[in-house]
Amino acid sequence: MNSHMYQSTQRTLMSRQPVKISEDKLEEIREAFSLFDTNKDGQIDYFELKVAMRALGFDQKKDDVLRVLQQQGSGDGSKISIDAFTKVMSEMIAARDPADEYKKAFKLIDENNTGIITVASLRRIARELGENIAEDELQAMIDEFDLDNDGGINEAEFIKIMMSGH
């Protein structure tokens, strides 16, 4: 997250209006906190905070992590509670740009950096997920969403699919 996104998040936090994120995301936040609260005191320090944020998909610079601790942390600003962590991370997750998240997902699927998702890409993903999907079904997925008929799904097509909720 860049400093602009962090500052925007801080303005929202200061407004005291709760952010609505899914229960699944809240559970993910709580699990990340719990995982890195190694001494189980309900607080995490700078290093634990940085790793917990990274586990949730936010690779923060040192200054941004320290700022979170100073503004949301306990007493001396050296630790943050689960409640403050949940509040900060909920805001950060809510402020994410879905298109950026879909671009990251596309890159994970397009393992060979060809710029398109092919039947082979889908086969690999299905296998990694333990799914047994027939070759003709995989081809049908490609055919349905391959708008430019180049035999694969490019990044723009992928984002359009994801944004439309298919």
Side-chain angles (χ1 to χ4, degrees):
M1 180 173 81
N2 61 31
S3 291
H4 174 69
M5 186 175 170
Y6 176 79
Q7 290 167 351
S8 173
T9 299
Q10 288 306 305
R11 278 193 297 278
T12 305
L13 284 171
M14 299 309 257
S15 72
R16 300 278 185 222
Q17 296 173 351
V19 170
K20 300 221 189 283
I21 63 170
S22 72
E23 192 57 42
D24 288 344
K25 287 293 180 191
L26 283 171
E27 184 58 29
E28 205 176 310
I29 292 168
R30 288 190 286 265
E31 285 176 14
F33 185 92
S34 179
L35 181 65
F36 297 104
D37 180 15
T38 54
N39 63 358
K40 304 302 179 207
D41 67 351
Q43 305 248 342
I44 55 176
D45 65 19
Y46 166 81
F47 295 105
E48 295 163 331
L49 175 60
K50 186 165 177 56
V51 177
M53 292 173 96
R54 187 177 301 137
L56 292 169
F58 296 93
D59 193 12
Q60 300 297 271
K61 293 182 177 166
K62 181 179 181 177
D63 289 347
D64 288 333
V65 177
L66 290 172
R67 196 172 300 120
V68 168
L69 280 173
Q70 290 167 350
Q71 295 177 355
Q72 303 297 323
S74 59
D76 63 359
S78 66
K79 292 190 172 199
I80 189 170
S81 70
I82 181 126
D83 292 338
F85 178 76
T86 301
K87 187 173 161 185
V88 168
M89 295 313 301
S90 295
E91 291 291 339
M92 291 172 70
I93 288 169
R96 280 183 174 162
D97 180 358
D100 288 341
E101 298 303 307
Y102 297 143
K103 287 177 185 179
K104 289 177 191 173
F106 180 85
K107 286 177 182 18
L108 291 173
I109 299 168
D110 179 23
E111 186 177 53
N112 297 324
N113 298 317
T114 61
I116 61 170
I117 296 172
T118 62
V119 170
S121 305
L122 292 179
R123 186 182 321 110
R124 177 184 57 82
I125 294 296
R127 210 177 5 222
E128 288 175 7
L129 294 173
E131 297 291 331
N132 188 15
I133 302 174
E135 195 78 13
D136 60 332
E137 289 182 65
L138 295 172
Q139 186 62 56
M141 288 180 207
I142 296 290
D143 294 344
E144 182 176 351
F145 298 108
D146 180 14
L147 303 177
D148 60 9
N149 296 312
D150 64 353
I153 299 170
N154 63 37
E155 186 177 75
E157 292 166 333
F158 182 77
I159 292 170
K160 185 173 182 178
I161 294 164
M162 300 306 292
M163 298 291 265
S164 69
H166 272 92

